[in-house]
Amino acid sequence: MDISDKTIFPKGDKAPADYFTGTAWIKVLVPNDTIMNCQIGNVIFEPGARNNWHTHPAGQILIATDGTGYYQEKGKPIQVLHKGDVVTIHPDVMHWHGAAPDSEFTHIAVNSSTQNGIVTWLDRVTDEEYYGLKS
Ligand code: MN
């Protein structure tokens, strides 16, 4: 079964390779504008896929909707995420998110107060970091 057959939202576009390791798909659900100052996107990570380390100047909320995912803040252990988990990420906290090695993962990402900026991309998450050998 194609991944898009069981998802709520369209799969969207391939996530930029500069900021993602592995394959992920992004569908913008609510485009950012100066009235709402809020951007909402659905992200599907294929197994093993994850985004780079990054920060959000105004924070971010992740809502897990399918599969098994990983979330890690710098210096802390990786957290495993399942459908229904919600993660609140405070402004300027360095982190990454993605799928577990053996599962797809889908989350909705809410970026509020976008007048303060949306994301600052940093280094790639190495295999050593991803497999939990180093945080
Ligand atoms: Mn994030």
Side-chain angles (χ1 to χ4, degrees):
M1 183 169 68
D2 186 82
I3 191 170
S4 60
D5 292 344
K6 64 181 179 67
T7 57
I8 301 170
F9 304 109
K11 197 167 162 181
D13 300 316
K14 206 166 181 176
D18 284 352
Y19 307 125
F20 286 74
T21 298
T23 303
W25 302 87
I26 298 178
K27 172 66 181 175
V28 175
L29 303 177
V30 178
N32 184 37
D33 67 37
T34 56
I35 299 169
M36 299 300 284
N37 291 303
C38 182
Q39 178 178 278
I40 303 177
N42 190 62
V43 186
I44 300 168
F45 297 90
E46 296 188 0
R50 68 271 191 179
N51 51 28
N52 288 13
W53 288 103
H54 61 280
T55 60
H56 303 284
Q60 182 179 54
I61 297 163
L62 303 178
I63 302 168
T65 58
D66 197 26
T68 304
Y70 283 177
Y71 169 74
Q72 185 177 29
E73 295 183 357
K74 191 70 178 175
K76 296 185 181 175
I78 289 173
Q79 293 178 44
V80 178
L81 302 179
H82 299 104
K83 176 159 83 173
D85 287 337
V86 178
V87 180
T88 300
I89 305 161
H90 288 167
D92 299 321
V93 171
M94 189 172 165
H95 69 281
W96 60 270
H97 24 117
D102 55 354
S103 174
E104 292 165 9
F105 178 58
T106 304
H107 69 45
I108 294 168
V110 180
N111 295 286
S112 58
S113 305
T114 54
Q115 68 274 24
N116 298 325
I118 296 178
V119 60
T120 302
W121 292 111
L122 303 165
D123 290 339
R124 247 174 224 292
V125 173
T126 63
D127 283 350
E128 196 180 28
E129 290 167 322
Y130 180 74
Y131 290 103
L133 304 173
K134 183 184 132 184
S135 63

